[in-house]
Amino acid sequence: MLHKLTIPISEEAVTALHVGDQVHLSGVVVTARDAAHKLMIEKFIRTPQVAELPDLYAQLSQLLAGGAIYHCGPVVSQDDHGRWRFVAAGPTTSIREEPYEADVIEHFGLRAVIGKGGMGPRTLQACQDHRAVYLHAIGGAASLIANSVKEVVDVYQKDELGVPEAFWVIRTEDFPAVVTMDSHGNSLHAGVKERSTAKLATLLALNSG
Amino acid sequence: MKQPDLTDQFLELIRLTATDLRSDIEDALNIARDQEEEGSAAQGALDTILENIRMARQDSTPICQDTGTPIFYIYYPTGWSTLKLRDQIREATATATAQAYLRPNAVDSFTGRNTGDNLGDDFPSLHFHEWEEPHLKVDLMLKGGGCENVGAQYKLPNVALHASRDLEGVRRAVLDAVNEAQGLGCAPGVIGVAVGGDRGASYIRSKEQFFRPLDDQHQVPELAKLEERLTQEANQLGIGPMGFGGKTTVLGVKVDTLHRLPASYFVTASYMCWADRRRTMTYRDGEVTFE
């Protein structure tokens, strides 16, 4: 079933989503990956030093309440007027943010985390406790996804963290993804791994023949 | 001899590799698409992947935003200067980055700074081999980070896997590696396996398998048979495209062996995502061709 989601996302819209549902997401999304998550945790959440980056904190607080983080390090280009454009923008592997994401969801009131490969039990629990979902974008489908990014609204920490790791604020239209972790405690990834591991045990029990 | 300046041709090699997937992979993805259940998440993923491949080719934009580590293998005739080739390839790499065919991917591990132009210590990765042919051949692979992270190296014997120092042990290690990777390497991918070597040589040889065409079989019949069996068995795991569950988990498995120390028996499984970007450039009699 295809759901149209618009940011800010309501609690009702999130709880209506279940594992396997397809989603088209529209609205202003913020990219954040490894260095950005480390920064959010160290500067804003665990031992707040918000005064160091007050603008960024204020922006994130506003954008992420009911909003979405996208695990992505894009290829970008800049035109003669200094405007940025996303050229290629598929998801990066999300599990690296597992130590951080639950706290980010809770602190900022996130409703959606977009990435690839799924996340672990802490994030799944946070999705349940705080009504959020994990949206799986198609890894590598970078040109296609870049076409759903209609505008680069802003960028933070580009010089400090580099292009792939910066916070890019982007306006998306019908960004395609699949719900693989929902707010009801279900994870597609946990089920697939359980079944494949059982099959592996069968294959390894056989003689080589 | 006068050595030509091939900087522009190297730039084209990079552009082509980043934006235009080779047909053997695209054909295999099309077959995989038709085998998945109608309307399944797995089929949806493959539809998106195939549309993306067409779009990237048409728009000349990167297939995947992670343009990875550029890994060049340069086979040059006697008398060529590898310093000049290195400088030309590095210049082409920086230009390709400025033109948004490559993402800036070289990060200083000490300072955390991204160099911004894909030039760094051993970045791009260059492997020079002098050969007896009269022409120059350059293979390029763009190896993404997601699939690089799920590569694995086993030291046999391995008690937990009941893996001994034989081809059955290799089989067990490789299937375990595929299961551990789940969809994280951007399945369906290609698995490159090396048996033997020291740890470093084993990883390098495992990645060199990705230059083999998908339908290439190892010339040693026992290894060709193992490649075929591993492909079938990996697909029985049901991990599927993107790890959504499904029939195609790998597009192929390629195995090779190299000499080892009596004390060591390494099995290295490298993972190449479905965006298996590799191309070859040949310079012969003043003409450049790409395949």
Side-chain angles (χ1 to χ4, degrees):
Chain A
M1 170 166 186
L2 178 69
H3 293 255
K4 292 254 185 189
L5 276 186
T6 305
I7 293 170
I9 306 166
S10 68
E11 184 174 343
E12 294 70 37
V14 161
T15 51
L17 296 173
H18 295 89
V19 160
D21 286 346
Q22 295 190 49
V23 164
H24 280 176
L25 178 67
S26 300
V28 177
V29 170
V30 182
T31 73
R33 46 179 294 169
D34 309 75
H37 276 78
K38 187 163 177 284
L39 184 154
M40 285 189 286
I41 290 293
E42 288 176 357
K43 304 276 189 205
F44 302 150
I45 299 177
R46 287 206 184 133
T47 46
Q49 303 153 54
V50 172
E52 283 183 30
L53 297 163
D55 290 352
L56 176 61
Y57 186 68
Q59 283 296 320
L60 290 179
S61 300
Q62 191 209 325
L63 292 166
L64 297 184
I69 271 182
Y70 180 25
H71 299 152
C72 171
V75 176
V76 298
S77 70
Q78 199 171 23
D79 69 15
D80 296 339
H81 306 286
R83 280 186 299 249
W84 292 99
R85 184 173 68 88
F86 269 33
V87 177
T92 191
T93 306
S94 299
I95 195 67
R96 294 193 304 271
E97 317 316 335
E98 178 66 9
Y100 314 120
E101 206 69 83
D103 295 332
V104 174
I105 290 170
E106 180 179 5
H107 185 86
F108 288 106
L110 270 183
R111 289 278 182 233
V113 174
I114 314 167
K116 76 174 170 83
M119 302 190 72
R122 269 195 87 220
T123 304
L124 187 62
Q125 188 65 50
C127 284
Q128 211 171 349
D129 294 346
H130 307 289
R131 296 305 190 191
V133 283
Y134 178 82
L135 302 177
H136 200 302
I138 302 303
S143 284
L144 184 139
I145 292 172
N147 274 13
S148 71
V149 177
K150 298 303 173 189
E151 184 193 357
V152 175
V153 180
D154 214 337
V155 59
Y156 293 92
Q157 295 282 300
K158 182 178 70 65
D159 296 336
E160 294 81 355
L161 304 182
V163 163
E165 297 268 8
F167 294 89
W168 293 91
V169 182
I170 53 174
R171 190 172 60 77
T172 68
E173 228 173 76
D174 291 336
F175 183 113
V178 178
V179 178
T180 58
M181 293 161 63
D182 62 24
S183 63
H184 311 287
N186 302 307
S187 165
L188 176 75
H189 308 283
V192 169
K193 182 154 195 190
E194 198 179 308
R195 287 190 293 278
S196 72
T197 302
K199 181 68 194 177
L200 177 68
T202 320
L203 286 170
L204 297 191
L206 295 175
N207 285 327
S208 64
Chain B
M1 67 162 277
K2 177 98 166 68
Q3 187 176 324
D5 181 351
L6 295 171
T7 308
D8 289 347
Q9 286 73 22
F10 291 136
L11 174 60
E12 173 58 11
L13 174 65
I14 296 167
R15 187 201 68 79
L16 197 63
T17 310
T19 64
D20 192 344
L21 201 68
R22 284 182 84 137
S23 59
D24 57 347
I25 300 294
E26 192 175 1
D27 291 348
L29 289 167
N30 266 306
I31 292 168
R33 187 254 167 228
D34 291 342
Q35 286 172 348
E36 293 293 349
E37 221 167 282
E38 283 296 321
S40 61
Q43 191 178 64
L46 287 164
D47 278 333
T48 303
I49 285 168
L50 287 160
E51 191 184 341
N52 179 67
I53 291 167
R54 289 188 288 269
M55 203 177 261
R57 182 179 292 133
Q58 182 191 310
D59 299 346
S60 193
T61 50
I63 297 162
C64 176
Q65 80 292 335
D66 184 4
T67 53
T69 308
I71 304 175
F72 290 89
Y73 279 78
I74 303 109
Y75 301 89
Y76 62 97
T78 303
W80 282 56
S81 160
T82 57
L83 290 181
K84 280 183 190 162
L85 285 166
R86 181 197 67 189
D87 289 349
Q88 290 168 13
I89 289 173
R90 285 176 70 89
E91 189 185 335
T93 301
T95 306
T97 311
Q99 295 183 358
Y101 295 122
L102 296 178
R103 185 179 72 183
N105 264 357
V107 179
D108 186 313
S109 296
F110 175 59
T111 64
R113 284 276 168 174
N114 191 316
T115 64
D117 57 7
N118 269 315
L119 301 183
D121 186 353
D122 199 21
F123 206 106
S125 172
L126 306 178
H127 301 257
F128 285 101
H129 297 282
E130 181 176 332
W131 67 353
E132 292 178 352
E133 302 289 333
H135 62 279
L136 174 81
K137 180 169 90 100
V138 180
D139 291 329
L140 169 60
M141 162 192 328
L142 297 176
K143 180 70 170 67
C147 59
E148 185 69 7
N149 284 347
V150 297
Q153 190 166 67
Y154 296 80
K155 176 167 61 83
L156 302 192
N158 180 307
V159 175
L161 293 171
H162 301 285
S164 308
R165 293 180 160 192
D166 48 32
L167 290 187
E168 170 59 15
V170 173
R171 169 184 169 261
R172 289 170 171 267
V174 173
L175 289 175
D176 185 68
V178 174
N179 188 52
E180 285 301 312
Q182 292 289 302
L184 293 178
C186 280
V190 178
I191 313 297
V193 179
V195 182
D198 65 15
R199 286 185 184 274
S202 198
Y203 262 116
I204 288 174
R205 181 65 66 89
S206 69
K207 284 195 224 175
E208 287 171 356
Q209 302 314 301
F210 301 133
F211 284 121
R212 292 169 57 189
L214 212 45
D215 63 1
D216 183 59
Q217 296 181 313
H218 202 283
Q219 56 189 15
V220 176
E222 289 84 355
L223 294 180
K225 207 174 138 197
L226 179 65
E227 291 175 344
E228 179 59 31
R229 181 175 183 190
L230 281 170
T231 302
Q232 284 178 9
E233 291 185 330
N235 285 331
Q236 289 175 30
L237 294 175
I239 295 164
M242 285 295 130
F244 289 170
K247 298 193 174 79
T248 305
T249 300
V250 303
L251 300 175
V253 179
K254 304 290 171 200
V255 182
D256 201 12
T257 62
L258 61 170
H259 287 85
R260 60 178 176 85
L261 294 181
S264 303
Y265 194 111
F266 295 112
V267 177
T268 307
S270 282
Y271 198 114
M272 177 60 102
C273 57
W274 66 258
D276 181 356
R277 289 153 290 173
R278 77 228 198 270
R279 288 275 174 183
T280 298
M281 167 182 145
T282 306
Y283 175 82
R284 192 196 308 263
D285 303 329
E287 293 287 321
V288 172
T289 51
F290 298 97
E291 56 187 305

